[in-house]
Amino acid sequence: METQQSQTIKFFGDETFPVEMHKVRIVQKLFLRPVEDRLKAINEAGYNTFLLNTKDVFLDMLTDSGTNAMSDNQVSSMLKADDAYAGSQSFYRMEKALQEVFGKKYILPVHQGRAAENVVSQVFIKKGDVIPMNYHFTTTKAHMELNGGKIFEIYTDEALKIKSDNPFKGNIDIDKLNALIEKYGADRVPFIRMEASTNLIGGQPFSIQNMRDVKAVADRHGIMMVLDASLIGENAWFIKQREPEFKNTSIKDILRLMCDFADIVYFSSRKVSSTRGGGICTNDHDLFLKMRDLVPLYEGFLTYGGMSVREIEAMAVGLEETTDETVINQSPSFIEYAVRELDKRNVPVITPAGALGCHIDAMSFLPHVPQQEYPAGALAAALYIISGCRGMERGTISSVRDENGDDILADMELLRLAFPRRVFTLSQTKFLIDRVHWLYKNRKLVGGLKFVEEPAVLRFFMGRLAPVNEWPDKLVAKFKEDFGNSL
């Protein structure tokens, strides 16, 4: 691999901003529809940004899953794919890359990260088990509870603070972990799960020291450690930037060290290597055998696991590129820029900047909207209306109802604006910042939402909502008053 370079560049003036360490060779046309068309589109989508048609979206910041830009080397690698159903050479190239990057001998391919969660949950969780973790992800929680487990989020006191200078808000609280194991007994804890760059609380990373401490507890009680490595590259980047012990350590070595602590590593390739797919990795042959039979049952044969061989080839290249600092730091640097600029404008954003996206605190942004009226969902809809930028609600809409049918209110109400790797330009980022700033100045115009169609499981994907009053029309009227015919 070529010599790695830092993306941090000193400018002559006072302004600092990220510089792309890549050039754009292939482009995809975007459309910025008139505000009236955007209002019509969000109405047809049931005020759920997941249900918007991409032809109506300007900047698609819904997620980084499967939306990262692939490199020239990834695209060219797809041309040598081996289409064999069994024994494909493409799989063995991917297996070698995983062994090199993650340091795990045994590999099980799956079609995406939630498929890995299904396998791990079915094999290791039984009714009555408790699973401690730094924070849950929506599909993780669903799979574990379907198999009879109960999750416990044992984050530190800093984790849910909106404004903080704590560099590792994704750490597990060791005292809470010890207390949990003492209360329930180690035999009811199948594993401890750590998520690299916690998705639902602002993409916040954990430190190597915290992994060491968690591993010591796990070993003392004979409990496995499971690592969700979907954003492991970004977590490794933050460790290099924020944990002094590792400031001179390569991303590749940090990444390997993180995986060394875990008995099982699973991941979504849609995030970790800019292509579709996923996998489960371990060095323990017995653990491998326990999981192996479910892959042909749910995913496909053991050398493709539900993925096309072209995706497998691109994954192998993308895994290696994840260890390149000029690749892995592009998204965090743009997120940091957006967070810094919005914070200057008093917009309530999660600090410090994390992985995956810029996270706006909807309860501070819209304090007049009750949490039962889904402020994060309302903010996502409002931002789309006035900008064409599609973000994702990460709050109570992404939660569930209790046995009485009442919403289990989320710990945080966040609007996540994802920054897929190497997708957006600085001018597009500045456009986003400008529109968020305008919306914040006019935030009192935004009202709440209510469900009109609500699926029983993972309702945030397909549920439909409606505004509680006529606030979208008032928002559009104010936008046209300030911007005229501008889009």
Side-chain angles (χ1 to χ4, degrees):
M1 181 178 293
E2 296 177 5
T3 303
Q4 296 180 347
Q5 303 173 45
S6 171
Q7 198 164 341
T8 303
I9 297 174
K10 183 178 289 186
F11 290 88
F12 179 69
D14 292 332
E15 184 179 9
T16 60
F17 50 84
V19 173
E20 298 88 342
M21 300 302 292
H22 60 270
K23 59 183 177 181
V24 179
R25 297 285 300 279
I26 297 177
V27 297
Q28 205 168 23
K29 187 173 177 61
L30 294 175
F31 297 93
L32 183 55
R33 306 293 187 189
V35 66
E36 296 90 351
D37 291 356
R38 299 196 294 265
L39 178 59
K40 179 182 178 182
I42 198 67
N43 271 293
E44 292 176 350
Y47 285 79
N48 183 347
T49 55
F50 270 99
L51 301 182
L52 287 167
N53 193 312
T54 56
K55 69 180 176 61
D56 299 315
V57 174
F58 176 46
L59 301 182
D60 196 347
M61 311 186 84
L62 186 77
T63 183
D64 64 340
S65 289
T67 62
N68 294 312
M70 288 199 293
S71 70
D72 52 353
N73 290 326
Q74 282 185 283
V75 174
S76 63
S77 73
M78 299 170 80
L79 297 176
K80 63 179 181 182
D82 176 2
D83 285 314
Y85 181 92
S88 167
Q89 296 307 295
S90 296
F91 170 79
Y92 294 114
R93 284 189 279 270
M94 181 194 74
E95 180 184 55
K96 182 179 179 181
L98 279 166
Q99 290 168 344
E100 175 67 22
V101 175
F102 285 176
K104 301 298 184 187
K105 182 177 180 180
Y106 303 107
I107 313 298
L108 292 169
V110 293
H111 79 275
Q112 64 182 92
R114 70 195 59 175
E117 292 171 341
N118 174 50
V119 171
V120 172
S121 297
Q122 284 209 42
V123 170
F124 297 108
I125 297 175
K126 62 183 185 299
K127 187 175 182 180
D129 279 349
V130 298
I131 304 97
M133 59 183 68
N134 51 351
Y135 209 81
H136 80 278
F137 183 62
T138 49
T139 56
T140 313
K141 181 180 174 71
H143 282 301
M144 292 182 177
E145 290 182 345
L146 282 171
N147 285 280
K150 183 177 181 180
I151 67 167
F152 284 85
E153 293 153 334
I154 48 175
Y155 44 78
T156 66
D157 294 340
E158 286 285 320
L160 302 185
K161 291 182 179 179
I162 303 302
K163 299 292 184 186
S164 174
D165 58 5
N166 187 309
F168 295 108
K169 290 162 69 175
N171 280 353
I172 279 180
D173 188 302
I174 301 301
D175 291 338
K176 293 177 184 177
L177 178 60
N178 281 317
L180 183 74
I181 296 171
E182 182 178 351
K183 179 178 180 179
Y184 290 97
D187 59 326
R188 290 184 59 186
V189 182
F191 53 82
I192 301 166
R193 174 182 173 271
M194 295 192 74
E195 180 179 324
S197 303
T198 49
N199 193 310
L200 295 184
I201 57 172
Q204 298 297 307
F206 55 73
S207 66
I208 290 292
Q209 185 56 53
N210 190 242
M211 287 199 86
R212 288 178 180 140
D213 295 340
V214 172
K215 181 63 172 174
V217 175
D219 287 349
R220 187 162 64 249
H221 294 282
I223 299 172
M224 288 196 307
M225 274 187 67
V226 172
L227 173 62
D228 179 342
S230 297
L231 286 170
I232 192 170
E234 286 79 0
N235 204 118
W237 169 252
F238 288 127
I239 287 170
K240 183 177 178 66
Q241 298 302 304
R242 301 176 182 178
E243 197 164 3
E245 179 183 348
F246 299 98
K247 65 180 181 180
N248 296 318
T249 307
S250 70
I251 293 294
K252 184 172 186 177
D253 288 343
I254 295 171
L255 199 152
R256 279 289 292 269
L257 180 58
M258 295 168 70
C259 292
D260 286 345
F261 287 110
D263 299 281
I264 294 173
V265 175
Y266 74 85
F267 65 95
S268 168
S269 184
R270 296 170 71 92
K271 294 182 182 293
V272 80
S273 66
S274 305
T275 185
R276 290 171 172 80
I280 308 170
C281 313
T282 183
N283 278 332
D284 189 313
H285 191 247
D286 291 337
L287 296 179
F288 169 77
L289 292 178
K290 287 179 180 179
M291 296 182 285
R292 183 183 62 179
D293 291 348
L294 293 188
V295 172
L297 183 63
Y298 288 105
E299 300 300 306
F301 192 65
L302 295 172
T303 52
Y304 75 92
M307 290 180 279
S308 77
V309 288
R310 287 155 187 80
E311 291 168 342
I312 290 172
E313 291 283 2
M315 183 197 296
V317 176
L319 283 163
E320 183 65 23
E321 291 179 346
T322 294
T323 68
D324 184 335
E325 291 181 20
T326 65
V327 173
I328 203 62
N329 71 4
Q330 196 272 336
S331 177
S333 65
F334 269 66
I335 294 167
E336 183 180 16
Y337 175 79
V339 167
R340 183 176 72 244
E341 292 301 312
L342 288 171
D343 191 46
K344 285 181 184 177
R345 293 159 174 79
N346 298 316
V347 176
V349 286
I350 297 290
T351 61
L356 201 158
C358 169
H359 294 76
I360 299 175
D361 174 34
M363 286 194 284
S364 298
F365 199 110
L366 304 174
H368 56 283
V369 177
Q371 198 170 2
Q372 293 83 355
E373 293 182 4
Y374 314 120
L379 184 56
L383 179 62
Y384 169 73
I385 291 170
I386 63 99
S387 70
C389 300
R390 172 164 71 163
M392 183 191 293
E393 183 273 356
R394 298 277 70 170
T396 298
I397 293 176
S398 296
S399 183
V400 295
R401 294 188 183 272
D402 63 20
E403 60 273 11
N404 298 317
D406 298 322
D407 276 316
I408 299 177
L409 301 179
D411 292 321
M412 306 180 86
E413 292 284 338
L414 302 180
L415 168 58
R416 188 185 76 191
L417 300 168
F419 278 80
R421 294 181 196 168
R422 299 172 294 193
V423 172
F424 299 123
T425 65
L426 189 62
S427 65
Q428 291 168 340
T429 303
K430 288 185 174 183
F431 171 86
L432 169 75
I433 292 166
D434 177 81
R435 292 304 191 258
V436 172
H437 185 210
W438 181 89
L439 186 59
Y440 185 64
K441 292 292 186 182
N442 294 277
R443 60 193 179 277
K444 291 183 179 179
L445 294 174
V446 181
L449 300 174
K450 59 185 177 182
F451 268 105
V452 295
E453 180 182 327
E454 184 176 351
V457 179
L458 298 176
R459 62 185 183 176
F460 65 91
F461 278 134
M462 298 300 294
R464 291 181 176 273
L465 302 100
V468 297
N469 51 45
E470 300 302 315
W471 66 260
D473 293 325
K474 296 177 181 178
L475 185 67
V476 169
K478 178 60 174 173
F479 179 86
K480 293 178 71 175
E481 177 185 324
D482 287 357
F483 289 98
N485 292 324
S486 172
L487 299 175

